[in-house]
């Protein structure tokens, strides 16, 4: 890379066969950094990306950032909510206090989580954006048969990474070229408009679907799913956050329905008959997944979700015994609901052998819903969420389960919520009951009469049941005005905490940045 304001180059390995979408990122740069030396460079955008194979390699690096964000974006979205807490268990999971800091929403720009998780939440989407910008600029001077398609994929991916920044931080610097320089923040509403325009323009050149060996690449449905989520949250995303809280922007309920309906009626997606297939090691076979991070059971390419929650003695190699859910969340689930199968509670087994297992002291391992002291939890306290089960053919901790960012069930839930906000409460409840049919046997529909307010709460709860642990809870609670409310192990917090602070490291690097209110 070169000094700010210049074009830059990076070293990439050999040009052998490339596996689409499953390569680690190779073009990572930060759009906000300043660098003082010229590197020795093997290639530049001027002498690479000259044929489809090379472009596919660059495209794969952009998709690769999705896997990285399933640590950072996931943790910030879930651990900051009432769905997940990471208790301190003896000497395990203290980590300078950052996990409980996230859950209790006591972060700051230079606190342990601010310097680690929140800083990564800023850097990692920008790494994906930077990779996209490198390839997009290179494609300007290349003739390829599928050039418009590649450009559409890259613009969609870049827009999705900006969606994450908009969600977490509000406004962010807007970079559409690969120069490394200090840029001022674009407002959150302006960023919303940019993402919307990019997705709207790109979707026309995206396919409806891909062959099975290209599963996970962006489609028209992917662009529409991101748009539907944006429109659902438009009051938040186009609003203004001050120290006293959110002044909501314009609602886009009908636009949310229209975008969701384009996915629902596309003929490409359908609800998986077996709800569990959406999370299984072979979930690439699910007809429901729309936007996914692709994983393989190979070193550096696998998902580690099962290892985050499981006890040390439940798998080989040793899991991490960290993430738990709150008793208040677990207790909301109906025991007859198939979706409760994602929770591990009571006597436990080794998931490789099926045999009963013990804690590290040799006692029977029994997960309990109640965590007595989140600062001094025992090994077995806390219900565990195992939504993506272990891959029996995993390599070490690398599991092949793809992890979805959007799936069809959420499009129905978006439509239901928007219908209710437009006054069609009966149709909204009908959608909830349609989704419940596949997870209750016998069926257990929602009955009774609902006004708009009570239906609103019921829809939020159904989103919890359907989408628990899928990186949705933080934004859902913000949209419903509940994110800073008190819950287990968390006090009432200040209203400005619906946005994370700009990390101090970014403020120090880029003098054009302005901190979010309240921090």
């Amino acid at each position: 890379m070169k000094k700010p304001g210049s074009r830059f180059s990076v070293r990439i390995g050999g040009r052998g066969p490339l596996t689409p979408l499953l390569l680690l990122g190779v073009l990572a740069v930060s759009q906000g950094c300043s660098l003082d030396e010229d590197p020795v460079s093997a290639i530049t955008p001027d002498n690479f990306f000259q044929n489809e194979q090379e472009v596919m390699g660059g495209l794969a690096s952009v998709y690769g950032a999705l896997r990285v964000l399933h640590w950072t974006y996931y943790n910030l979205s879930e651990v900051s909510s009432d769905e997940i807490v990471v208790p301190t268990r003896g000497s395990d999971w203290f980590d300078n206090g950052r996990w409980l800091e996230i859950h209790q929403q006591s972060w700051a720009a230079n606190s342990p989580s601010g310097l680690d998780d929140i800083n990564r939440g800023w850097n990692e989407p920008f790494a994906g954006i930077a990779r996209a910008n490198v390839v997009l600029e290179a494609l300007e001077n290349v003739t390829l048969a599928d050039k418009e398609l590649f450009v559409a994929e890259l613009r969609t991916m870049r827009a999705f990474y900006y969606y994450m920044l908009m969600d977490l931080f509000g406004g962010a610097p807007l970079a559409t070229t690969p120069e490394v320089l200090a840029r001022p923040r674009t407002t959150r509403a302006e960023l919303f408009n940019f993402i919307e325009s990019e997705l709207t323009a790109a979707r026309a050149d995206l396919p409806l679907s891909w062959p099975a060996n290209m599963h996970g690449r962006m489609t028209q449905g992917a662009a529409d799913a991101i748009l539907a989520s944006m429109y659902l949250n438009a009051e938040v995303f186009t609003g203004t956050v001050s120290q006293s809280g959110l002044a909501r922007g314009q609602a886009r309920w009908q636009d949310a329905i229209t975008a969701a309906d384009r996915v629902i009626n596309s003929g490409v997606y359908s609800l998986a008959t077996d709800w569990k297939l959406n999370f299984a090691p072979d979930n690439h076979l699910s007809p429901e997944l729309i936007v996914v991070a692709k994983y393989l059971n190979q070193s550096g390419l696998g998902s580690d979700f099962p290892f985050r929650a499981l006890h040390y003695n439940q798998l080989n190699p040793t899991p991490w015994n960290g993430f738990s859910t709150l008793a208040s969340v677990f207790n909301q689930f109906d025991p007859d609901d198939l979706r409760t199968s994602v929770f591990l509670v009571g006597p436990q087994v080794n998931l490789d052998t099926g045999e009963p297992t013990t804690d590290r002291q040799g006692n029977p391992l029994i997960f309990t819903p109640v965590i007595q002291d989140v600062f001094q939890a025992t090994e077995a306290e806390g219900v565990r969420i195992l939504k993506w089960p272990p891959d029996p053919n995993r390599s070490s901790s690398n599991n092949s389960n793809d992890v979805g960012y959007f799936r069809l069930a959420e499009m129905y839930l978006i439509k239901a919520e928007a219908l209710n906000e437009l006054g069609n409460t009966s149709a909204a409840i009908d959608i909830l009951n349609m989704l419940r049919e596949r997870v209750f046997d016998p069926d257990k529909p929602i009955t009774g009469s609902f006004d708009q307010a009570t239906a609103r709460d019921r829809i939020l709860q159904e989103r919890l049941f359907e989408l628990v642990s899928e990186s949705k809870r933080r934004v859902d609670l913000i949209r419903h005005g509940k994110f800073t409310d008190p819950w287990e192990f968390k006090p009432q917090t200040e209203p400005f905490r619906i946005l994370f602070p700009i990390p101090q490291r970014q403020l120090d690097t880029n003098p054009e940045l302005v901190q979010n209110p309240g921090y």
Side-chain angles (χ1 to χ4, degrees), residues 50 82 119 154 269 329 393 406:
Q50 301 299 305
D82 60 352
N119 189 58
L154 289 162
Y269 310 98
V329 165
N393 299 311
F406 293 103

Side-chain angles (χ1 to χ4, degrees), residues 16-235:
L18 296 165
T19 304
L21 313 187
L22 292 172
L23 299 180
L24 290 176
V26 293
L27 293 174
V29 297
S30 169
Q31 295 282 12
C33 67
S34 60
L35 302 166
D36 297 323
E37 59 183 80
D38 293 343
V40 176
S41 177
I43 62 170
T44 72
D46 293 326
N47 64 20
F48 202 64
F49 306 123
Q50 301 299 305
N51 56 53
E52 184 169 329
Q53 180 178 328
E54 293 174 350
V55 172
M56 282 293 292
L59 184 66
S61 78
V62 180
Y63 279 99
L66 285 175
R67 293 195 300 277
V68 178
L69 283 157
H70 260 140
W71 177 257
T72 306
Y73 182 77
Y74 175 90
N75 291 346
L76 293 177
S77 298
E78 288 289 348
V79 181
S80 68
S81 80
D82 60 352
E83 281 190 355
I84 289 180
V85 65
V86 185
T88 302
R89 303 182 192 274
S91 60
D92 295 340
W93 290 102
F94 175 66
D95 293 342
N96 250 354
R98 63 182 238 254
W99 295 106
L100 293 179
E101 184 178 272
I102 296 173
H103 185 72
Q104 295 177 331
Q105 301 177 7
S106 58
W107 52 69
N110 60 354
S111 68
S113 65
L115 296 174
D116 190 311
D117 310 88
I118 298 172
N119 189 58
R120 291 176 62 180
W122 178 276
N123 273 337
E124 289 168 359
F126 269 123
I129 290 164
R131 298 174 194 180
N133 285 339
V134 169
V135 186
L136 282 167
E137 183 177 81
L139 284 174
E140 292 177 4
N141 301 311
V142 174
T143 300
L144 290 174
D146 293 326
K147 178 176 175 177
E148 291 79 10
L149 173 57
F150 288 130
V151 169
E153 283 186 85
L154 289 162
R155 291 176 72 182
T156 302
M157 289 297 300
R158 182 177 64 183
F160 187 38
Y161 293 133
Y162 268 120
Y163 169 98
M164 293 179 176
L165 289 165
M166 175 182 65
D167 176 15
L168 298 177
F169 299 102
L174 181 59
T176 57
T177 58
E179 291 83 8
V180 179
L181 49 85
R183 292 179 169 90
R185 290 181 72 185
T186 299
T187 69
R188 200 181 202 188
E190 290 169 340
L191 197 55
F192 181 99
N193 291 336
F194 169 78
I195 299 167
E196 180 184 25
S197 65
E198 285 290 284
L199 293 172
T200 301
R203 73 175 301 279
D205 290 322
L206 293 170
L208 279 172
S209 62
W210 288 94
N213 67 328
M214 290 291 156
H215 179 259
R217 293 179 69 175
M218 288 291 156
T219 60
Q220 289 185 11
D224 287 329
I226 302 168
L227 285 168
S229 182
M230 285 179 58
Y231 295 140
L232 180 72
N233 294 286
E235 288 182 306

